[in-house]
PDB file of all heavy atoms in Angstrom:
ATOM      1  N   GLU Y 579      53.499  23.497 -50.991  1.00  0.00           N
ATOM      2  CA  GLU Y 579      54.032  23.654 -49.629  1.00  0.00           C
ATOM      3  C   GLU Y 579      53.707  25.041 -49.077  1.00  0.00           C
ATOM      4  O   GLU Y 579      53.344  25.195 -47.910  1.00  0.00           O
ATOM      5  CB  GLU Y 579      55.544  23.422 -49.633  1.00  0.00           C
ATOM      6  CG  GLU Y 579      55.948  21.985 -49.902  1.00  0.00           C
ATOM      7  CD  GLU Y 579      57.449  21.801 -49.922  1.00  0.00           C
ATOM      8  OE1 GLU Y 579      58.169  22.809 -49.668  1.00  0.00           O
ATOM      9  OE2 GLU Y 579      57.915  20.678 -50.178  1.00  0.00           O
ATOM     10  N   GLU Y 580      53.850  26.061 -49.944  1.00  0.00           N
ATOM     11  CA  GLU Y 580      53.564  27.420 -49.487  1.00  0.00           C
ATOM     12  C   GLU Y 580      52.076  27.595 -49.185  1.00  0.00           C
ATOM     13  O   GLU Y 580      51.695  28.225 -48.193  1.00  0.00           O
ATOM     14  CB  GLU Y 580      54.000  28.422 -50.556  1.00  0.00           C
ATOM     15  CG  GLU Y 580      53.930  29.866 -50.070  1.00  0.00           C
ATOM     16  CD  GLU Y 580      54.581  30.815 -51.054  1.00  0.00           C
ATOM     17  OE1 GLU Y 580      55.156  30.355 -52.056  1.00  0.00           O
ATOM     18  OE2 GLU Y 580      54.514  32.029 -50.815  1.00  0.00           O
ATOM     19  N   ALA Y 581      51.220  27.003 -50.031  1.00  0.00           N
ATOM     20  CA  ALA Y 581      49.776  27.084 -49.777  1.00  0.00           C
ATOM     21  C   ALA Y 581      49.405  26.357 -48.500  1.00  0.00           C
ATOM     22  O   ALA Y 581      48.562  26.825 -47.728  1.00  0.00           O
ATOM     23  CB  ALA Y 581      49.013  26.497 -50.961  1.00  0.00           C
ATOM     24  N   ALA Y 582      50.043  25.209 -48.257  1.00  0.00           N
ATOM     25  CA  ALA Y 582      49.771  24.459 -47.033  1.00  0.00           C
ATOM     26  C   ALA Y 582      50.183  25.258 -45.804  1.00  0.00           C
ATOM     27  O   ALA Y 582      49.509  25.236 -44.774  1.00  0.00           O
ATOM     28  CB  ALA Y 582      50.489  23.115 -47.069  1.00  0.00           C
ATOM     29  N   ALA Y 583      51.287  25.985 -45.914  1.00  0.00           N
ATOM     30  CA  ALA Y 583      51.751  26.808 -44.790  1.00  0.00           C
ATOM     31  C   ALA Y 583      50.768  27.939 -44.500  1.00  0.00           C
ATOM     32  O   ALA Y 583      50.496  28.271 -43.343  1.00  0.00           O
ATOM     33  CB  ALA Y 583      53.135  27.373 -45.095  1.00  0.00           C
ATOM     34  N   ILE Y 584      50.208  28.506 -45.580  1.00  0.00           N
ATOM     35  CA  ILE Y 584      49.227  29.569 -45.401  1.00  0.00           C
ATOM     36  C   ILE Y 584      47.967  29.027 -44.736  1.00  0.00           C
ATOM     37  O   ILE Y 584      47.400  29.644 -43.829  1.00  0.00           O
ATOM     38  CB  ILE Y 584      48.889  30.213 -46.760  1.00  0.00           C
ATOM     39  CG1 ILE Y 584      50.086  31.039 -47.240  1.00  0.00           C
ATOM     40  CG2 ILE Y 584      47.652  31.097 -46.657  1.00  0.00           C
ATOM     41  CD1 ILE Y 584      49.904  31.657 -48.602  1.00  0.00           C
ATOM     42  N   GLU Y 585      47.515  27.873 -45.189  1.00  0.00           N
ATOM     43  CA  GLU Y 585      46.332  27.255 -44.582  1.00  0.00           C
ATOM     44  C   GLU Y 585      46.572  26.958 -43.113  1.00  0.00           C
ATOM     45  O   GLU Y 585      45.666  27.124 -42.281  1.00  0.00           O
ATOM     46  CB  GLU Y 585      45.985  25.978 -45.327  1.00  0.00           C
ATOM     47  CG  GLU Y 585      45.412  26.212 -46.713  1.00  0.00           C
ATOM     48  CD  GLU Y 585      45.095  24.910 -47.417  1.00  0.00           C
ATOM     49  OE1 GLU Y 585      45.482  23.845 -46.882  1.00  0.00           O
ATOM     50  OE2 GLU Y 585      44.466  24.952 -48.484  1.00  0.00           O
ATOM     51  N   GLU Y 586      47.759  26.540 -42.761  1.00  0.00           N
ATOM     52  CA  GLU Y 586      48.078  26.251 -41.360  1.00  0.00           C
ATOM     53  C   GLU Y 586      48.012  27.524 -40.525  1.00  0.00           C
ATOM     54  O   GLU Y 586      47.489  27.517 -39.403  1.00  0.00           O
ATOM     55  CB  GLU Y 586      49.467  25.620 -41.280  1.00  0.00           C
ATOM     56  CG  GLU Y 586      49.839  25.194 -39.862  1.00  0.00           C
ATOM     57  CD  GLU Y 586      51.194  24.521 -39.812  1.00  0.00           C
ATOM     58  OE1 GLU Y 586      51.761  24.210 -40.883  1.00  0.00           O
ATOM     59  OE2 GLU Y 586      51.700  24.299 -38.681  1.00  0.00           O
ATOM     60  N   ARG Y 587      48.545  28.631 -41.067  1.00  0.00           N
ATOM     61  CA  ARG Y 587      48.502  29.898 -40.333  1.00  0.00           C
ATOM     62  C   ARG Y 587      47.064  30.392 -40.203  1.00  0.00           C
ATOM     63  O   ARG Y 587      46.670  30.950 -39.181  1.00  0.00           O
ATOM     64  CB  ARG Y 587      49.364  30.946 -41.036  1.00  0.00           C
ATOM     65  CG  ARG Y 587      50.859  30.649 -40.995  1.00  0.00           C
ATOM     66  CD  ARG Y 587      51.684  31.902 -41.217  1.00  0.00           C
ATOM     67  NE  ARG Y 587      51.427  32.514 -42.508  1.00  0.00           N
ATOM     68  CZ  ARG Y 587      52.071  32.185 -43.644  1.00  0.00           C
ATOM     69  NH1 ARG Y 587      52.993  31.229 -43.622  1.00  0.00           N
ATOM     70  NH2 ARG Y 587      51.804  32.814 -44.768  1.00  0.00           N
ATOM     71  N   GLN Y 588      46.272  30.190 -41.264  1.00  0.00           N
ATOM     72  CA  GLN Y 588      44.867  30.566 -41.186  1.00  0.00           C
ATOM     73  C   GLN Y 588      44.133  29.797 -40.090  1.00  0.00           C
ATOM     74  O   GLN Y 588      43.353  30.368 -39.330  1.00  0.00           O
ATOM     75  CB  GLN Y 588      44.187  30.311 -42.535  1.00  0.00           C
ATOM     76  CG  GLN Y 588      44.428  31.385 -43.574  1.00  0.00           C
ATOM     77  CD  GLN Y 588      43.652  31.099 -44.837  1.00  0.00           C
ATOM     78  OE1 GLN Y 588      43.684  29.981 -45.332  1.00  0.00           O
ATOM     79  NE2 GLN Y 588      42.983  32.096 -45.368  1.00  0.00           N
ATOM     80  N   GLU Y 589      44.379  28.504 -40.046  1.00  0.00           N
ATOM     81  CA  GLU Y 589      43.709  27.670 -39.049  1.00  0.00           C
ATOM     82  C   GLU Y 589      44.146  28.048 -37.635  1.00  0.00           C
ATOM     83  O   GLU Y 589      43.324  28.080 -36.712  1.00  0.00           O
ATOM     84  CB  GLU Y 589      44.013  26.195 -39.320  1.00  0.00           C
ATOM     85  CG  GLU Y 589      43.191  25.227 -38.495  1.00  0.00           C
ATOM     86  CD  GLU Y 589      41.703  25.334 -38.758  1.00  0.00           C
ATOM     87  OE1 GLU Y 589      41.323  25.690 -39.898  1.00  0.00           O
ATOM     88  OE2 GLU Y 589      40.912  25.070 -37.825  1.00  0.00           O
ATOM     89  N   GLU Y 590      45.414  28.371 -37.484  1.00  0.00           N
ATOM     90  CA  GLU Y 590      45.915  28.793 -36.173  1.00  0.00           C
ATOM     91  C   GLU Y 590      45.261  30.108 -35.750  1.00  0.00           C
ATOM     92  O   GLU Y 590      44.866  30.281 -34.594  1.00  0.00           O
ATOM     93  CB  GLU Y 590      47.433  28.948 -36.226  1.00  0.00           C
ATOM     94  CG  GLU Y 590      48.040  29.371 -34.893  1.00  0.00           C
ATOM     95  CD  GLU Y 590      49.542  29.554 -34.992  1.00  0.00           C
ATOM     96  OE1 GLU Y 590      50.109  29.295 -36.070  1.00  0.00           O
ATOM     97  OE2 GLU Y 590      50.158  29.962 -33.976  1.00  0.00           O
ATOM     98  N   TYR Y 591      45.141  31.033 -36.712  1.00  0.00           N
ATOM     99  CA  TYR Y 591      44.494  32.303 -36.430  1.00  0.00           C
ATOM    100  C   TYR Y 591      43.033  32.099 -36.032  1.00  0.00           C
ATOM    101  O   TYR Y 591      42.536  32.694 -35.072  1.00  0.00           O
ATOM    102  CB  TYR Y 591      44.597  33.206 -37.654  1.00  0.00           C
ATOM    103  CG  TYR Y 591      43.850  34.514 -37.525  1.00  0.00           C
ATOM    104  CD1 TYR Y 591      44.405  35.596 -36.842  1.00  0.00           C
ATOM    105  CD2 TYR Y 591      42.588  34.678 -38.090  1.00  0.00           C
ATOM    106  CE1 TYR Y 591      43.728  36.795 -36.724  1.00  0.00           C
ATOM    107  CE2 TYR Y 591      41.903  35.870 -37.972  1.00  0.00           C
ATOM    108  CZ  TYR Y 591      42.478  36.919 -37.289  1.00  0.00           C
ATOM    109  OH  TYR Y 591      41.799  38.103 -37.171  1.00  0.00           O
ATOM    110  N   LYS Y 592      42.344  31.256 -36.781  1.00  0.00           N
ATOM    111  CA  LYS Y 592      40.946  30.976 -36.500  1.00  0.00           C
ATOM    112  C   LYS Y 592      40.771  30.387 -35.111  1.00  0.00           C
ATOM    113  O   LYS Y 592      39.859  30.774 -34.363  1.00  0.00           O
ATOM    114  CB  LYS Y 592      40.398  30.020 -37.561  1.00  0.00           C
ATOM    115  CG  LYS Y 592      38.935  29.655 -37.395  1.00  0.00           C
ATOM    116  CD  LYS Y 592      38.494  28.750 -38.530  1.00  0.00           C
ATOM    117  CE  LYS Y 592      37.055  28.318 -38.368  1.00  0.00           C
ATOM    118  NZ  LYS Y 592      36.605  27.448 -39.481  1.00  0.00           N
ATOM    119  N   GLU Y 593      41.639  29.453 -34.738  1.00  0.00           N
ATOM    120  CA  GLU Y 593      41.568  28.856 -33.403  1.00  0.00           C
ATOM    121  C   GLU Y 593      41.787  29.905 -32.323  1.00  0.00           C
ATOM    122  O   GLU Y 593      41.132  29.872 -31.269  1.00  0.00           O
ATOM    123  CB  GLU Y 593      42.596  27.735 -33.283  1.00  0.00           C
ATOM    124  CG  GLU Y 593      42.265  26.500 -34.128  1.00  0.00           C
ATOM    125  CD  GLU Y 593      43.342  25.441 -34.048  1.00  0.00           C
ATOM    126  OE1 GLU Y 593      44.362  25.689 -33.354  1.00  0.00           O
ATOM    127  OE2 GLU Y 593      43.185  24.376 -34.678  1.00  0.00           O
TER     128      GLU Y 593
END
Side-chain angles (χ1 to χ4, degrees):
E579 291 179 3
E580 189 170 355
I584 289 177
E585 289 179 351
E586 184 178 350
R587 292 201 299 272
Q588 280 184 312
E589 190 62 30
E590 181 182 357
Y591 175 81
K592 181 178 178 179
E593 290 177 358

